[in-house]
Amino acid sequence: MSTSWKGFPGPAVQLSSVDGDTSGRFTVAKIAARVFPDRKAFVEKVIAEQSELASPFPFGPYPTDTLKYKSKNVLEFQTPANTDGLGTASRLQKNDRPISGVAILFGKGPNLLQLSVRLSFETNDLTQFIIQQTEVEAANFGD
């Protein structure tokens, strides 16, 4: 993937695992600041490492996202069509279809597993199944 690549413009399923103990801590902190308020201390620790990073870590959810907490570490989300949100904080570009998914914190890092799904109209009914299966499989990761 080149540096000019902007992401997937159409239907896509992206599953990302980010290690919060390494350079991935910046990505984990950005997501945690948005949707995992219990992890504020972790986010503030990452920000303190480099004070110039404070601005890219806004606290609080994206205004148009719909959030459904399954637990303090598991969050299902939907980013509406043509808007920025947790769904576009992935490799999926915004377009005329919503992006659904789940963000899961696990381990001591904490580590992040994020699924972002945007299917075609014809296959959209598979979205919730993909999300639920990801949650089931992630439960095996443990804390």
Side-chain angles (χ1 to χ4, degrees), residues 65 77-81 83 86-88 90 92-95 97-101 115-118 127:
D65 276 359
F77 64 87
Q78 185 172 69
T79 299
T83 62
L86 200 54
T88 58
S90 66
L92 278 66
Q93 295 179 14
K94 58 185 173 185
N95 72 8
R97 304 270 307 141
I99 301 169
S100 298
L115 171 73
S116 297
V117 180
R118 179 179 51 224
T127 299

Side-chain angles (χ1 to χ4, degrees), residues 95-106:
N95 72 8
D96 63 348
R97 304 270 307 141
I99 301 169
S100 298
V102 63
I104 302 169
L105 292 180
F106 65 97

